[in-house]
Amino acid sequence: MSTGRAAVITGIGSYVPPNVVTNDDLSQRLDTSDAWIRSRTGIAERCFITPGTSTGDLAVEAGLRALKSAGAEQVGAVVLATTTPDQPCPATAPQVAARLGLGQVPAFDVAAVCSGFLYGLASAAGLIAAGVADSVLLIAADAFTTIINPEDRTTAVIFADGAGAVVLRAGSAAEPGAIGPLVLGSDGELSHLIEVPAGGSRQRSTDRPVDPADRYFHMLGRETYRHAVERMTSVSIEAAERAGWRMEDVDRFAAHQANARILEAVAKRLGLPEDKQLSNIERVGNTGAASIPLLLAEATAEGRLSAGDRVLLTAFGGGLAWGAGTVVWPELQTF
């Protein structure tokens, strides 16, 4: 039974691995160039994990920072949004919770690709509203380089690794940091636009030989672009309307950092000027589910996002899955 409690952000943290890879680095092994990558994606550099590092490692680092930001030593549950779990089985979240010293709290993974953080927010808010937990550590982490074909210039130049996290506690919907209305959607009929064809039960249940390329991430870029722009625009409008906001009420727009062209197209359709748009894609690339919380953490630390700012969040990714939500930004410490 719902208690009417809201989920309120009380801490935030992020982490990217120290291995910075520039466009010039990639052009040494791919048929590409700095100018080509910048013009099509807006990315100049990104961070890659090194051998032996996993999604769980990234998640732990971001989780530690978020807990410190919240001044919390314990939470009631852990939710991990990821497309690149440490293993197919079990979920990575329980291991992350154990490594963070959180004991035997409920912990589970959410798989919604680049929309994972927003789906994770809905899951965490649901746990709090239902009274299952008074506080939740939500982490979004991806080591996308583990599923990207290093020889495919259409994806290898875009995707990168990183993690972002927030701590949520039970509170009032009127408080700064309270998660506003969340709007989510999906269209499985278009799942072929973004997929890793092999490795799951569908492929494993057959005796057909596996094309090595099918073990990697595939994306149909042109079709994905069109759907991303349409869905992120429409779901953003719906979320703002449910919150009682007009677009001119939005102070900051924090969209999944998919591609600079997509971000520009969505913001233009929404009528949001450049000075309201938060972006870090130039420095970190597309970090999957980690994208939005990583952006929020960096913007808070750099002063581009301040307490009281009305923030519109939106994302789009494989599934296809998309979402949007609102939050009035709270006063937060970053580490």
Side-chain angles (χ1 to χ4, degrees), residues 267-289:
K268 183 176 181 180
R269 290 194 181 193
L270 294 174
L272 294 171
E274 186 175 352
D275 63 355
K276 292 190 174 186
Q277 301 167 35
L278 296 176
S279 180
N280 63 353
I281 192 170
E282 182 179 11
R283 292 181 292 103
V284 301
N286 182 334
T287 54

Side-chain angles (χ1 to χ4, degrees), residues 13-15 54-64 66 75-100 102 105-125 127 135-144 162-168 287-291 293:
S14 65
Y15 178 77
S54 73
T55 293
D57 298 329
L58 303 178
V60 167
E61 292 295 334
L64 284 169
V75 291
V78 175
V79 177
L80 174 62
T82 187
T83 303
T84 58
D86 286 4
Q87 304 162 251
C89 175
T92 304
Q95 299 170 53
V96 170
R99 291 175 62 185
L100 289 171
L102 299 176
V105 298
F108 59 91
D109 291 0
V110 170
V113 197
C114 296
S115 297
F117 178 69
L118 290 175
Y119 272 74
L121 269 183
S123 300
L127 292 172
S135 59
V136 178
L137 173 61
L138 167 61
I139 308 173
D142 271 314
F144 247 91
V166 293
V167 175
L168 301 126
T287 54
S291 174

Side-chain angles (χ1 to χ4, degrees), residues 14 16 71 111 133 142 155 158 161 177 204 222-223 239 255 278-279 297 311:
S14 65
V16 292
D142 271 314
T155 56
I158 297 174
D161 307 324
R204 289 171 178 260
R222 184 169 298 178
E223 294 91 332
L278 296 176
S279 180
V311 187

